[in-house]
Amino acid sequence: MTQQVKHFIDGEFVSPTGDKLIAVTNPATQDVIAQVACATPNEMERAIESAKAAFKTWKEVPVSERARLMMRFAHLLKEHQGEIADIICRELGKTVEDAKGDVWRGIEVVEQAANIPSLMMGETVENVARSIDTYSYIQPLGVCAGITPFNFPAMIPLWMFPMAIACGNTFILKPSEQDPMTVNKIAELFVQAGAPKGVLQVVHGAKEQVDAILHHPDIKAISFVGSVNVGQYIYKTGTDNLKRVQAFAGAKNHMVIMPDANKQQVINALVGASVGAAGQRCMAISVAVFVGASADWIPEVAAAIGKVRPGVYTDPNAAYGPQISPQARARVLSLIEQGKKEGATCVLDGSDCKVDGYPNGNWVGPTVFSNVTTEMEIYKQEIFGPVLSTMHVASLDEALKVVNDSPFGNGTSIFTASGAAARKYQHEVEVGQVGINIPIPVPLPFFSFTGWKGSFYGDQHAYGKQAVRFYTETKTITARWFDDDIQVSGPNMSINLR
């Protein structure tokens, strides 16, 4: 019997009552491994009402107790890292190593959430005027929500609800319908860690459930990670409904290679950063900009990438897994064909990729284009597949122009032995996350994930200090206490403190 994915509402896993079913398939075989029912309007309302009721008591829990909850939760996630990774492998197709990395990067955010007492500290100034003090408190918003994508089913939910809940909020999580079982396991561990009833809710579904979150008046803030079009929709609709929104959208990440870089380090970095995780990363390097004589390395880069092969997660030699769905595979293949038609040179073509024993898998082999221009669709669109576009420019200034003219600004990197070149690049590039001889510069969670331009819509970013600001309000108090024998003066008719 096919497994039925349950909702997590009001502190318990409940069998869904809706009849709109979505199949969860193994992307290497197309076998249906589970079915997820879209939450009904009644189920959505129950979840939100439960979170609203839980907020009344959760916000009063001492911040040190909230921190200890996160400590216990992080410990359980570490204990069950392999089990969670196995679920990711089955429903998403990641390799075991990549799936464990997915979980670990989420654990790091939970560890940061355990530091919440120091992150929630306000400010104080004594004697802002005579015998008057001003101080501030950081207080939670209420019910917050998260809408997460398929590609990191552990890490991205863990970007969101631990920080929000540690700040004193309650949380509604709507994970991707394509791999919902991972989040349910994480919710189970959160309960084991001691999370009170109603603090976290998990509801499954698609656009209808997202719209319910966007329009519900009791939801104060929404976090989203996903595609450009959906990110823009989430941001516009959420803010139109007077909610705080942080929406992380698409990317087109460039690596700039200077002629003085270490060639082998460049090759190794490009292999992993371009086709790792089947290219299904918002921080993947999908464009390599070779400066000057470094363009001579392109054939060697293509040869190294050509040695990589996809496969199932049970194969220890597989470098990456399948695309998430047949539709995703078809889109990648369509863009590869478009690149050929537009005049790019396909020096490595993975369109006809086969994996022995798995003829129905959503396989795309590693693909490399040269002579790519900024007018081509393979440059303009986020392919989200194992496809690397390469370009050749004469100078660092030209490379900067290419990167800065892109509408996206999620991540970039430069490989060079020159401190001057690196300093110039990091200062002038219009991208939020920069790596120097680091291919995928995803910051650790005591910093924030800071995409720019069309890669992000909102004001405060994920995790780190910015997440605390996103999930809280600041209350400022100005106070004076009178001694019994103080001389009472006349009325103060101005706004000056005195």
Side-chain angles (χ1 to χ4, degrees), residues 290-357:
F290 289 85
V291 178
S294 68
D296 295 341
W297 305 346
I298 293 176
E300 293 176 77
V301 170
I305 292 177
K307 295 176 182 178
V308 168
R309 65 178 184 83
V312 294
Y313 73 95
T314 53
D315 178 359
N317 296 315
Y320 64 86
Q323 303 301 120
I324 182 64
S325 68
Q327 294 79 12
R329 175 179 180 270
R331 179 179 177 277
V332 174
L333 295 181
S334 173
L335 283 165
I336 291 173
E337 289 306 306
Q338 181 80 358
K340 295 173 187 175
K341 291 176 182 176
E342 289 180 331
T345 303
C346 191
V347 296
L348 178 66
D349 190 351
S351 299
D352 196 29
C353 180
K354 303 285 193 301
V355 173
D356 290 342

Side-chain angles (χ1 to χ4, degrees), residues 130-325:
R130 188 172 299 278
S131 299
I132 297 176
D133 307 323
T134 298
Y135 45 95
S136 65
Y137 294 137
I138 309 299
Q139 296 187 336
L141 297 174
V143 181
C144 301
I147 302 159
T148 60
F150 75 85
N151 58 326
F152 285 95
M155 181 185 75
I156 294 179
L158 291 171
W159 278 9
M160 297 179 183
F161 78 82
M163 291 298 295
I165 290 173
C167 287
N169 303 286
T170 55
F171 205 84
I172 311 288
L173 181 61
K174 206 300 286 182
S176 170
E177 65 275 17
Q178 294 179 289
D179 46 11
M181 297 187 295
T182 299
V183 159
N184 275 23
K185 180 62 184 178
I186 289 171
E188 178 186 317
L189 296 176
F190 195 50
V191 173
Q192 288 183 33
K197 173 182 175 180
V199 168
L200 174 67
Q201 320 276 334
V202 180
V203 290
H204 298 287
K207 184 179 184 298
E208 182 180 344
Q209 289 67 40
V210 168
D211 284 339
I213 290 170
L214 292 172
H215 290 280
H216 200 287
D218 289 330
I219 292 177
K220 306 301 182 185
I222 298 170
S223 301
F224 168 81
V225 177
S227 66
V228 174
N229 291 340
V230 179
Q232 292 175 343
Y233 174 77
I234 296 282
Y235 183 73
K236 291 176 181 177
T237 309
T239 53
D240 280 350
N241 283 283
L242 306 180
K243 303 181 189 303
R244 287 190 186 181
V245 181
Q246 52 177 200
F248 298 84
K252 199 70 180 181
N253 306 314
H254 302 72
M255 179 192 288
V256 172
I257 300 102
M258 300 299 290
D260 62 358
N262 182 299
K263 181 171 71 172
Q264 193 55 53
Q265 292 292 345
V266 166
I267 292 171
N268 291 343
L270 276 175
V271 172
S274 63
V275 302
Q280 297 175 130
R281 294 174 178 151
C282 67
M283 287 291 284
I285 293 295
S286 53
V287 181
V289 183
F290 289 85
V291 178
S294 68
D296 295 341
W297 305 346
I298 293 176
E300 293 176 77
V301 170
I305 292 177
K307 295 176 182 178
V308 168
R309 65 178 184 83
V312 294
Y313 73 95
T314 53
D315 178 359
N317 296 315
Y320 64 86
Q323 303 301 120
I324 182 64
S325 68

Side-chain angles (χ1 to χ4, degrees), residues 288-494:
V289 183
F290 289 85
V291 178
S294 68
D296 295 341
W297 305 346
I298 293 176
E300 293 176 77
V301 170
I305 292 177
K307 295 176 182 178
V308 168
R309 65 178 184 83
V312 294
Y313 73 95
T314 53
D315 178 359
N317 296 315
Y320 64 86
Q323 303 301 120
I324 182 64
S325 68
Q327 294 79 12
R329 175 179 180 270
R331 179 179 177 277
V332 174
L333 295 181
S334 173
L335 283 165
I336 291 173
E337 289 306 306
Q338 181 80 358
K340 295 173 187 175
K341 291 176 182 176
E342 289 180 331
T345 303
C346 191
V347 296
L348 178 66
D349 190 351
S351 299
D352 196 29
C353 180
K354 303 285 193 301
V355 173
D356 290 342
Y358 296 88
N360 297 321
N362 306 320
W363 310 112
V364 178
T367 300
V368 178
F369 282 97
S370 64
N371 301 314
V372 174
T373 68
T374 57
E375 293 78 25
M376 296 177 178
E377 289 301 310
I378 56 169
Y379 177 81
K380 291 190 288 187
Q381 293 199 39
E382 183 179 26
I383 300 175
F384 229 55
V387 181
L388 176 67
S389 296
T390 68
M391 308 172 72
H392 178 211
V393 298
S395 67
L396 178 57
D397 284 328
E398 287 185 48
L400 275 163
K401 185 176 188 319
V402 168
V403 179
N404 288 344
D405 283 350
S406 171
F408 300 110
N410 215 32
T412 188
S413 65
I414 182 170
F415 273 63
T416 180
S418 167
R423 175 66 175 76
K424 176 182 174 68
Y425 190 76
Q426 74 177 37
H427 180 66
E428 295 184 17
V429 74
E430 296 169 6
V431 174
Q433 297 168 113
V434 182
I436 298 172
N437 298 318
I438 300 287
I440 301 179
V442 177
L444 289 170
F446 27 88
F447 291 90
S448 297
F449 188 95
T450 53
W452 283 12
K453 297 194 290 189
S455 295
F456 177 71
Y457 302 95
D459 300 304
Q460 303 289 347
H461 293 84
Y463 60 80
K465 293 179 182 178
Q466 291 195 35
V468 175
R469 292 196 288 270
F470 180 75
Y471 291 123
T472 61
E473 290 275 23
T474 300
K475 180 180 288 183
T476 305
I477 300 101
T478 302
R480 167 192 280 157
W481 294 96
F482 296 105
D483 293 328
D484 290 340
D485 58 353
I486 193 169
Q487 183 176 355
V488 179
S489 62
N492 179 5
M493 306 302 290
S494 77

Side-chain angles (χ1 to χ4, degrees), residues 22-40:
I22 300 172
V24 181
T25 60
N26 180 331
T29 63
Q30 308 311 317
D31 294 338
V32 176
I33 59 176
Q35 282 189 327
V36 59
C38 295
T40 64

